[in-house]
Amino acid sequence: AFTDYLTDLPNRRAFFAEIERRARRRSGEPFHVGLIDLDGFKPVNDSFGHRAGDAVLREVAHRLKAKELGWIGRLGGDEFGRIVEGGADLAQIGRRICGGLARPFPLREGTAQIGASIGFARYPDAATSPEMLLERADFALYHAKIHQRGTAVSFAPEHEERLRDIAMIEQALRRADLAAEFDLHYQ
């Protein structure tokens, strides 16, 4: 129930349980949650087939298992999670992970080339609840994919401001009477 069948890594449920366990520690030691999303994975499945895609995911898991880089789990699809102790050098870890996943993946069908983007959030600085911590890491990942694909981005105060702006816009759109407030003109 706590292991991903394809990669033999801890699964989503185990990953969330580990975050909660660390957040409940009495010592309050900081740690980082990293969300790793593969860049260019869909074309592997489309070009080489799902069996080749599964082989790439197994190799990704193998490359991510480096013990000195922290606790790793597969969250589903082409997304992985990493938990790293608080004093770790995230820039170096991010470079090692992204560099390791940018190396070619030899397959029977050919060679696959992918990359990875990572979003990190620090407990308790970015958030004190596991849910908010994951939300912050996810926002940092989104920022990496949009602005710095193939790199690791740590959640920062300016991201918090952007999250608030997005939330305000979403709430305004939910309250809006779009039929009454917009006039469509076609060109």
Side-chain angles (χ1 to χ4, degrees), residues 30-88:
F31 63 92
H32 304 271
V33 169
L35 298 180
I36 304 163
D37 191 67
L38 302 182
D39 299 327
F41 179 72
K42 186 178 179 332
V44 172
N45 274 338
D46 294 346
S47 299
F48 299 117
H50 289 282
R51 187 174 57 163
D54 288 350
V56 167
L57 290 173
R58 283 190 293 274
E59 179 59 23
V60 165
H62 176 74
R63 293 181 189 185
L64 289 175
K65 283 182 182 177
K67 299 277 189 261
E68 68 275 6
L69 298 181
W71 199 96
I72 185 75
R74 180 175 178 221
L75 305 182
D78 65 345
E79 190 172 46
F80 295 81
R82 182 168 296 283
I83 301 172
V84 181
E85 293 304 319

Side-chain angles (χ1 to χ4, degrees), residues 36 38 60 63-64 96-103 105 114-116:
I36 304 163
L38 302 182
V60 165
R63 293 181 189 185
L64 289 175
R96 286 185 62 192
I97 292 170
C98 292
L101 296 180
R103 290 193 333 258
F105 290 81
I114 62 169

